[in-house]
Amino acid sequence: MEKLQLIATSPMGLEAVIARELKDLGYDDVRVENGRVNFTGGPADICRANLWLRTSDRVLVKMAEFPARTFEELFEGTKAVDWADWIPGDGEFPVEGRSHKSQLTSVPACQSIVKKAVVEKMKATYGTEWFPEDGARFVIEVSLLNDMALITLDTTGPGLHKRGYRKLVTEAPLKETMAAAMVLLSRWRPERPLYDPFCGSGTIPIEAAMIGWNIAPGLRRSFNSEGWPLVPEELWEAAREEAFDSVKDDIPLSIAGSDFDPAAIEVAEAAAKKAGFARDIKFSVLPIAKAKPEGDYGCIITNPPYGTRLGDEAEAEKALRELGRFALYLPTWSFFAISPSKAVEHYFGRNADKRRKLFNGRIECALYQYFGPLPPFPGKEKP
């Protein structure tokens, strides 16, 4: 089979992080666009990408891309795809859609046209007038942007942030993909301490532990494409075996988190246990004023309260003030905080070394990065 055109979809602002992930996985043909990262691979790479990508939302197969200013153009462009190469006669193939800055503005109408075109092409191939759609699931998406139609197949199913370890959540949880992105952007290494003083349901410490032990984030879940003829079971078995063999659970971790809410810590401990880190991540019920991270040259990576969803603005302001004061007592530590507030630097008393625009869900935020000194080389005395 020819190489497939694959797409790792991206939350706004994380495209470069996903591109780096793909390059670290060995993919050289990586092309970044707004909201997605394109790469090439075979059916086995559908398995590897779904198992390993930490910051992407999902992995798609690009089926076609063509101008579509009319419903006829949309119909004919979709019908030109050899759908039977992918979808068996009993396959379920719902169509999802979206349209932006295009003449075809009715998303339901576009979905209907694409569905009709796929059915017509499959009727000609399979020689039947009716499809039961009670087999494996093949979600087709039509995305219209500036009168160009992109037709894709979703290989993932539920978003990649659903790792499988978090059954309960706190009121305003941070997505696993964003937590992983914050850890990757910090360039934290497992030999350094990591602490989250607003840990909530524990997502940042758990994602850090998975990175530290090189655990593929998709190991505990299933994917739509596991039932596809073009992605046979043996490819999934090989990809999972590779992932299990790559785990480095003999590396000691110094990861901890705290929160003033006992219910949040209860959720965090349950999630850590489910993820296999019950003994390796320490959680405590503590306000940030009483938190005392152990060690030097560590990383504080945190998602302080915003005031837009939890509590009020006064509480969010208090949290940032306490975070800035907290930093004064950890001169060798680096700080990474995601917040929509413009007052973070005010409460830290200095400008961030780096700011990165990110979206936590629909909330526009910045990742404020304060770099502490690097750890001394082994054998060298601390300054």
Side-chain angles (χ1 to χ4, degrees):
M1 162 177 262
E2 293 184 5
K3 287 287 187 180
L4 304 173
Q5 299 299 311
L6 302 174
I7 299 169
T9 64
S10 171
M12 283 189 288
L14 293 186
E15 293 89 347
V17 180
I18 295 170
R20 192 172 83 209
E21 280 197 84
L22 286 165
K23 289 175 182 177
D24 288 344
L25 287 170
Y27 299 100
D28 298 320
D29 185 16
V30 174
R31 302 172 309 286
V32 175
E33 298 179 37
N34 285 337
R36 67 192 197 203
V37 182
N38 305 285
F39 64 109
T40 56
D45 298 298
I46 290 175
C47 309
R48 292 189 74 238
N50 273 300
L51 287 173
W52 280 103
L53 286 177
R54 300 182 189 278
T55 59
S56 175
D57 287 328
R58 58 189 66 245
V59 179
L60 312 176
V61 180
K62 179 179 176 181
M63 304 302 290
E65 190 171 24
F66 51 85
R69 297 177 182 84
T70 66
F71 287 129
E72 183 179 359
E73 288 180 332
L74 180 60
F75 180 89
E76 294 299 333
T78 303
K79 190 180 176 184
V81 176
D82 292 324
W83 290 103
D85 288 350
W86 287 88
I87 306 174
D90 66 345
E92 179 189 4
F93 50 102
V95 179
E96 298 178 354
R98 54 185 173 174
S99 178
H100 185 62
K101 295 183 178 178
S102 294
Q103 295 182 49
L104 300 178
T105 57
S106 172
V107 172
C110 292
Q111 291 172 271
S112 179
I113 291 294
V114 168
K115 180 78 174 187
K116 183 179 178 181
V118 176
V119 168
E120 288 301 311
K121 184 59 174 276
M122 291 180 62
K123 282 164 64 174
T125 305
Y126 288 110
T128 183
E129 292 293 314
W130 181 77
F131 298 95
E133 296 200 49
D134 56 3
R137 186 171 171 86
F138 299 78
V139 179
I140 300 167
E141 182 178 274
V142 51
S143 178
L144 290 153
L145 176 63
N146 296 323
D147 295 323
M148 289 292 293
L150 174 66
I151 310 294
T152 58
L153 273 179
D154 176 14
T155 74
T156 302
L160 288 174
H161 71 280
K162 296 191 175 180
R163 316 288 207 215
Y165 62 76
R166 194 166 72 173
K167 299 303 180 186
L168 300 172
V169 296
T170 50
E171 189 176 342
L174 187 72
K175 271 190 175 181
E176 293 88 334
T177 42
M178 180 58 71
M182 292 173 65
V183 176
L184 292 174
L185 286 167
S186 77
R187 301 298 177 101
W188 169 80
R189 302 289 301 165
E191 59 269 17
R192 300 178 69 178
L194 184 147
Y195 194 90
D196 180 359
F198 300 105
C199 72
S201 53
T203 311
I204 291 173
I206 293 170
E207 289 295 318
M210 292 178 72
I211 291 168
W213 280 2
N214 200 39
I215 296 174
L219 267 179
R220 294 176 177 271
R221 55 162 291 170
S222 59
F223 304 92
N224 273 2
S225 47
E226 288 186 61
W228 294 7
L230 277 183
V231 194
E233 184 179 347
E234 55 266 27
L235 294 183
W236 285 102
E237 289 177 352
R240 283 197 165 92
E241 185 176 346
E242 175 198 25
F244 277 116
D245 289 345
S246 300
V247 173
K248 301 175 181 176
D249 56 3
D250 57 342
I251 296 175
L253 299 174
S254 178
I255 298 175
S258 60
D259 199 285
F260 72 93
D261 183 359
I265 294 301
E266 190 174 328
V267 171
E269 289 176 338
K273 182 178 180 180
K274 181 77 173 175
F277 298 109
R279 298 180 180 178
D280 303 283
I281 302 175
K282 298 177 182 178
F283 290 110
S284 306
V285 179
L286 284 175
I288 186 173
K290 294 186 178 180
K292 290 184 172 61
E294 297 179 0
D296 296 314
Y297 305 98
C299 291
I300 300 294
I301 307 177
T302 193
N303 175 38
Y306 292 177
T308 53
R309 291 179 295 174
L310 283 177
D312 57 25
E313 291 186 7
E315 289 182 1
E317 192 175 301
K318 179 184 177 185
L320 291 177
R321 188 183 304 113
E322 289 177 334
L323 183 63
R325 192 180 301 120
F326 183 61
L328 295 175
Y329 297 98
L330 297 168
T332 68
W333 285 59
S334 299
F335 280 71
F336 303 85
I338 186 170
S339 177
S341 174
K342 308 296 184 185
V344 171
E345 292 169 315
H346 169 72
Y347 290 119
F348 264 79
R350 61 187 175 98
N351 291 336
D353 295 305
K354 192 173 182 180
R355 291 187 302 276
R356 188 186 189 102
K357 183 178 177 180
L358 295 175
F359 281 80
N360 185 9
R362 295 176 179 268
I363 302 174
E364 182 178 331
C365 299
L367 179 64
Y368 292 88
Q369 303 172 61
Y370 291 88
F371 304 126
L374 291 174
F377 290 110
K380 185 178 179 181
E381 292 184 3
K382 295 180 183 180

